Amino acid sequence: MKCSELIAKLEELSPPMYALEWDNPGLLVGGKQQEIRKVLLSVDVTDEVIDEAIAQGANMIIAHHPLIFRKLKRVVAEDLTGRRILRMVQHSIACYCMHTNFDIMGMADEAADMLGLSSAEVLEVTYEDELSKEGIGRYGYWKQNGTLLELGEHVKRVFGLEHVTLYGDLQSPMVKVAISTGSGSDMVSLAIAAGCDAIITGDIGYHCALDAIAEGLCIIDAGHFGLEKIFIPYMKTYLEREAEGIEAIPSTQKEIGYHL
């Protein structure tokens, strides 16, 4: 399959028009006429992920977070991003990234479904027309109706996590719950405004959590990677269904950091 044909499949799922203005999704390395047979799926494009793509004989890396995020003035081996680009070019590996367009058209509904939210609505509306509202995060009613402690255990189980951090009274009843994958500090005020009992997200700072508790909102910090790693199995399933002839391999990328 040509790279352009595979990109058409990816953009059918998560059109670039939904990406936020500051974002940089799309084909970041490679050419649209390149033949693609095997893709490696990852959250990030790290040196280890590139090593894995080379070892697996992958023609493309499809990642969630963009390899190129800030303005590049040169592509040289002495620069971290430049070195990664050069290695991919040397090994004929294309790189396509799906970031906020996938957050909005893919990740948000998948996370809400995995959590078990009913009557889910968009947490932060970023696109609206006469027919629909789309955006980042979802909030709705947690079907199990347990405590914060029980919700925390549920999050660990459904997202395959070894740990989460809970902020708030562990026995607080959880009825209306929000979830926003990735970094969620900016979503706290939206969850409060929506009348949620808790938000599940990542990268929450101490003072943000302290203020949220004072406003009556509990927080479950499941980690940035902890939630967004669902990109990998989601895309594997999608490509196996929609891109015949493409072999999709999950990266072995893991969360950085150790918890003692």
Side-chain angles (χ1 to χ4, degrees):
M1 179 179 287
K2 287 193 181 297
C3 183
S4 58
E5 296 172 317
L6 180 53
I7 288 173
K9 294 290 185 182
L10 299 175
E11 295 185 353
E12 186 178 313
L13 171 67
S14 304
M17 63 175 281
Y18 290 103
L20 300 185
E21 189 175 328
W22 49 262
D23 200 7
N24 189 37
L27 183 65
L28 303 186
V29 177
K32 291 187 176 181
Q33 296 308 306
Q34 182 176 349
E35 286 291 333
I36 306 296
R37 299 177 305 279
K38 184 184 291 188
V39 302
L40 184 72
L41 303 170
S42 67
V43 176
D44 302 286
V45 185
T46 63
D47 293 328
E48 293 77 14
V49 166
I50 296 170
D51 288 341
E52 191 173 1
I54 294 169
Q56 292 280 3
N59 310 105
M60 176 185 275
I61 296 170
I62 299 177
H64 183 45
H65 294 142
L67 167 66
I68 303 170
F69 213 70
R70 299 174 182 84
K71 183 179 180 180
L72 282 179
K73 294 185 177 181
R74 60 187 64 83
V75 178
V76 294
E78 289 72 26
D79 173 76
L80 178 62
T81 302
R83 183 170 70 244
R84 290 170 176 169
I85 292 170
L86 288 171
R87 288 197 69 220
M88 283 187 282
V89 170
Q90 289 165 358
H91 291 273
S92 299
I93 298 172
C95 180
Y96 187 91
C97 299
M98 307 166 69
H99 193 207
T100 53
N101 53 321
F102 181 79
D103 284 336
I104 293 165
M105 302 299 289
M107 184 89 78
D109 285 332
E110 177 71 0
D113 289 345
M114 290 176 66
L115 186 62
L117 297 184
S118 63
S119 304
E121 297 185 41
V122 176
L123 184 59
E124 181 188 21
V125 177
T126 58
Y127 178 89
E128 185 174 0
D129 60 22
E130 294 178 355
L131 299 176
S132 65
K133 293 180 180 180
E134 302 293 349
I136 294 174
R138 297 289 185 267
Y139 70 93
Y141 295 94
W142 184 37
K143 295 174 184 178
Q144 294 191 21
N145 263 4
T147 64
L148 175 61
L149 180 60
E150 291 168 332
L151 178 59
E153 293 292 348
H154 179 68
V155 169
K156 285 174 60 179
R157 183 168 56 255
V158 299
F159 289 98
L161 305 173
E162 293 184 4
H163 63 273
V164 295
T165 303
L166 309 182
Y167 297 96
D169 183 347
L170 297 182
Q171 298 307 313
S172 292
M174 298 289 107
V175 179
K176 185 183 283 190
V177 174
I179 185 164
S180 180
T181 60
S183 181
S185 295
D186 293 341
M187 300 293 162
V188 168
S189 60
L190 296 172
I192 293 169
C196 294
D197 300 303
I199 183 170
I200 297 108
T201 188
D203 297 350
I204 290 294
Y206 171 79
H207 292 288
C208 178
L210 201 64
D211 291 346
I213 293 169
E215 294 283 352
L217 180 74
C218 296
I219 293 177
I220 298 178
D221 187 337
H224 197 123
F225 180 84
L227 294 176
E228 292 196 329
K229 68 182 182 179
I230 66 175
F231 172 82
I232 296 172
Y234 185 104
M235 290 306 304
K236 179 174 172 57
T237 299
Y238 178 77
L239 290 173
E240 288 174 345
R241 184 178 69 245
E242 300 293 336
E244 186 178 352
I246 295 294
E247 183 181 355
I249 304 169
S251 167
T252 59
Q253 181 187 359
K254 293 180 173 58
E255 183 178 9
I256 61 171
Y258 298 93
H259 302 269
L260 299 178

